[in-house]
Amino acid sequence: MDRIRIVGGSKLNGTIPISGAKNAALPLMIAGLLSEETLILDNVPRLADVAQLQRILGNHGVDIMSAGKRPGAQEYQGQTLHISAADIIDTTAPYELVSRMRASFWVIAPLLARMHEAKVSLPGGCAIGTRPVDLLIMALEKLGAEIAIDGGYVIAKAPGGLKGAAIDFPKVTVSGTHVALMAATLAKGTTVITNAACEPEILDVADCLNKMGARVTGAGTPRIVIEGVTKLHGTRHTVLPDRIETGTYAMAVAMTGGDVLLAGARPELLQSALDVLTQAGAVITASNEGIRVARNGAGIQPVTVSTAPFPGFPTDLQAQLMALMACAKGSSHITETIFENRFMHVQELARFGARIHLNGETATIDGIAKLRGAPVMATDLRASVSLVIAGLVAEGETMVNRVYHLDRGFERLEEKLSGCGASIERISD
Ligand code: EPZ
């Protein structure tokens, strides 16, 4: 299995192109199942999760053609996928495929909406606590689906098609909102989703669905209204920039010092994280080209942060912030409110010498002057990248083992960082 070797101590200077958002690309690809016509997606990142979803969609009979750069396209504009679900030949998503990536469970929504049946294995994914699907099932049942769980599979049927309904989520859920939104596009009548997730990726998917002929209003707010239509058609859509990749590199620069342009990044997608970074001593400037991040001379200042649904501080940047705070001048407090067990990085950061004390959902980080390189490993994507960030500033050599998780969510990570002066390389065994 590949490893990443980092020798810490170099400042980051230059330009990092920001890729298309993984967490928008995945549901957008799944939305391709809703139409017989071709959905063309531009700016799709080349990631292991995208490749895995291509295999899953292929199993349903979806033809996917992948093309490289378009003439005149900038280097970071990702790949273009042509997704054609003219004939869905199989409505089962098997365990072997779904267990590796949680978002693949979401195929249940378009399969049910269009084919009126689906059999989908209960999901796997990152090890960040129990991640139930009860709210997704609740939403589909409200839309009229009959659901049974048998042998690790969710078996869903809606013989006469789905029917519009009121869906009130008891807690904000990105997955629940994606599933309810996609399913409702082809339901008979009106669906109103309340307490919907407001993440930018939901809005991106809703924009694409509307281009496909859906009638969705209010996406990006807690109340989404969907007037069902009988058919969706093909369209072309560009995946929005990855706000978590943006925030991750912004934290890396805050950590090492230097001056980097995050090209193509959009500040409104991660304002809360940029505010926290500013408080921590980063200098953030937005321009037409993206976001420029530098660090002022005063060193890293401690912060107190709680993760929250959008527009709050994202849970997907919590581990990276913790790595940054490990070097702050004082004590920081980070509370994780979204996932109950998303602290796998704490014990690994400790290998660098970080002083972190966990008390329930809150981590107290007592900053130290110097981290020291170490062999480390993580079992979740964002935790893994927090170890890379720590390695960039740590004295000596860091070896990040099991980079499989990094490849799920960070496109060309070593290339982007080494292009800005980091000493980082992939070692393939
Ligand atoms: C999405 O996961 C993202 N994944 C996650 O990113 C992200 O951390 C998370 O949203 C929160 O922002 C994708 O978009 C592919 P949720 P999702 O449904 O949709 C509970 C990454 O690293 N819940 O909003 O699975 C759940 O346990 C990944 O890119 C239920 O209780 O998250 C959690 O506590 C990791 N029942 C909370 O809701 C349900 O049926 C939020 O989960 C569903 C969720």
Side-chain angles (χ1 to χ4, degrees):
M1 211 176 276
D2 289 2
R3 293 174 293 162
I4 286 185
R5 178 175 174 273
I6 305 165
V7 179
S10 308
K11 288 190 173 171
L12 295 173
N13 281 293
T15 298
I16 296 181
I18 296 303
S19 297
K22 168 181 82 82
N23 288 349
L26 299 177
L28 284 165
M29 290 168 69
I30 290 172
L33 282 167
L34 285 165
S35 173
E36 291 170 8
E37 296 180 24
T38 303
L39 171 63
I40 303 175
L41 295 176
D42 292 313
N43 200 29
V44 179
R46 287 185 174 80
L47 297 170
D49 272 7
V50 167
Q52 176 67 5
L53 185 55
Q54 283 182 238
R55 285 190 278 276
I56 291 166
L57 294 177
N59 182 64
H60 295 301
V62 180
D63 283 326
I64 303 184
M65 191 194 64
S66 156
K69 280 187 281 180
R70 280 195 282 158
Q74 298 196 41
E75 191 227 348
Y76 54 85
Q77 280 175 327
Q79 59 184 330
T80 295
L81 296 183
H82 294 245
I83 300 170
S84 301
D87 297 306
I88 293 177
I89 54 170
D90 192 341
T91 53
T92 298
Y95 172 79
E96 301 73 51
L97 294 173
V98 177
S99 58
R100 290 175 60 182
M101 183 184 32
R102 183 179 158 84
S104 53
F105 182 79
W106 306 349
V107 298
I108 196 168
L111 290 175
L112 196 51
R114 185 170 147 198
M115 307 304 289
H116 303 171
E117 60 169 39
K119 182 178 172 191
V120 181
S121 169
L122 285 161
C126 279
I128 51 175
T130 53
R131 296 179 74 188
V133 290
D134 55 323
L135 299 177
L136 285 63
I137 290 174
M138 176 279 278
L140 295 173
E141 282 179 337
K142 289 263 181 204
L143 292 168
E146 294 155 19
I147 296 197
I149 298 183
D150 189 20
Y153 279 80
V154 177
I155 300 163
K157 291 194 172 93
L162 295 173
K163 294 183 185 66
I167 300 171
D168 183 32
F169 283 113
K171 77 195 277 191
V172 177
T173 156
V174 172
S175 53
T177 306
H178 275 308
V179 159
L181 172 62
M182 282 194 259
T185 56
L186 293 179
K188 282 191 199 92
T190 305
T191 297
V192 180
I193 306 174
T194 44
N195 202 23
C198 301
E199 268 66 7
E201 293 76 21
I202 302 274
L203 180 55
D204 203 38
V205 171
D207 284 347
C208 178
L209 290 170
N210 282 338
K211 287 196 233 168
M212 293 169 78
R215 296 174 63 194
V216 181
T217 52
T221 78
R223 186 173 188 274
I224 305 178
V225 179
I226 305 119
E227 306 279 352
V229 296
T230 51
K231 246 182 185 327
L232 294 181
H233 52 75
T235 193
R236 182 161 204 151
H237 184 80
T238 301
V239 179
L240 89 171
D242 196 315
R243 64 195 165 99
I244 305 303
E245 189 195 27
T246 307
T248 300
Y249 290 128
M251 289 192 198
V253 181
M255 186 90 156
T256 62
D259 187 339
V260 171
L261 172 68
L262 303 172
R266 283 175 29 200
E268 72 277 14
L269 301 181
L270 72 159
Q271 197 53 55
S272 61
L274 297 179
D275 291 346
V276 168
L277 277 167
T278 306
Q279 217 186 318
V283 181
I284 313 268
T285 330
S287 73
N288 287 343
E289 292 171 290
I291 302 173
R292 170 154 246 124
V293 185
R295 197 177 83 202
N296 68 26
I300 300 161
Q301 302 306 309
V303 296
T304 294
V305 171
S306 286
T307 62
F310 191 85
F313 187 91
T315 173
D316 288 348
L317 287 173
Q318 181 256 107
Q320 298 89 316
L321 180 66
M322 201 175 292
L324 176 62
M325 288 304 125
C327 295
K329 290 183 165 171
S331 296
S332 304
H333 304 278
I334 302 180
T335 303
E336 172 58 54
T337 70
I338 309 290
F339 293 109
E340 82 279 14
N341 186 23
R342 203 172 196 181
F343 283 127
M344 313 295 274
H345 41 287
V346 168
Q347 64 190 33
E348 293 303 299
L349 287 172
R351 292 179 192 274
F352 293 93
R355 295 205 191 119
I356 306 173
H357 172 71
L358 271 182
N359 185 6
E361 298 172 338
T362 301
T364 300
I365 307 110
D366 296 318
I368 57 173
K370 202 93 201 112
L371 297 179
R372 286 182 311 281
V376 288
M377 178 171 91
T379 48
D380 121 42
L381 162 61
R382 312 303 176 183
S384 299
V385 86
S386 77
L387 304 177
V388 172
I389 294 182
L392 291 175
V393 83
E395 209 168 67
E397 181 183 292
T398 291
M399 191 68 82
V400 182
N401 294 296
R402 288 186 71 178
V403 298
Y404 162 73
H405 282 282
L406 282 173
D407 292 337
R408 293 183 52 195
F410 288 91
E411 191 179 32
R412 299 187 290 121
L413 175 90
E414 320 85 86
E415 201 181 312
K416 290 186 184 188
L417 286 170
S418 59
C420 286
S423 171
I424 178 169
E425 61 175 344
R426 177 179 293 252
I427 299 172
S428 300
D429 293 329

